[in-house]
Amino acid sequence: MADTQQVGETTAAQDVKAERKAAKLAQRINAFAKEHGGTEGHVEYIGQRGARIVLVGADGAWGDVVAPTFTMAEEAVKKAGITVHETFDGEFAAKVKTGPYEWKRMAGIQLGAPSNG
């Protein structure tokens, strides 16, 4: 019976830790929203690394936050109270405004970046 209680306590401690992490992620999401006049998001599973929360501000700025698990990412956006899109396409993707930095990074080698070979 002691083993069962110990496992239960460990699980409870893990739940508390996950809850705190989700709250911290929600704070980061809310800080982004405050800086950019509101935000919408999309949660994407990225494998063992967890889940990426892509944020698009009302002003077109974008950023992301990575959570260790998909469930934690979902909890974080729920706590933040933002609109979450199922996919990152169409009308939502069109809200992203890219500047010279992003275009240069996306172009890579074509604009003189070092080659990988």
Side-chain angles (χ1 to χ4, degrees):
M1 181 120 189
D3 289 339
T4 305
Q5 287 176 336
Q6 187 176 20
V7 170
E9 290 170 2
T10 302
T11 302
Q14 290 171 341
D15 289 346
V16 169
K17 188 176 179 181
E19 183 70 24
R20 285 185 191 148
K21 178 70 175 173
K24 286 182 182 179
L25 292 168
Q27 287 176 343
R28 291 178 62 193
I29 293 167
N30 287 330
F32 180 89
K34 184 177 179 181
E35 187 175 331
H36 298 284
T39 191
E40 299 175 46
H42 168 68
V43 179
E44 189 68 39
Y45 177 69
I46 56 174
Q48 291 181 339
R49 301 230 28 210
R52 179 181 187 205
I53 304 166
V54 180
L55 304 169
V56 178
D59 62 358
W62 62 278
D64 65 356
V65 180
V66 176
T69 67
F70 190 85
T71 303
M72 188 180 296
E74 288 181 317
E75 183 65 24
V77 295
K78 182 179 174 185
K79 284 180 177 294
I82 65 169
T83 300
V84 180
H85 297 266
E86 291 293 319
T87 59
F88 192 84
D89 62 359
E91 207 173 297
F92 180 51
K95 292 180 180 183
V96 175
K97 292 187 179 156
T98 54
Y101 172 79
E102 288 86 4
W103 282 104
K104 187 173 182 179
R105 296 279 299 165
M106 287 187 276
I109 295 170
Q110 291 83 1
L111 293 178
S115 67
N116 292 331

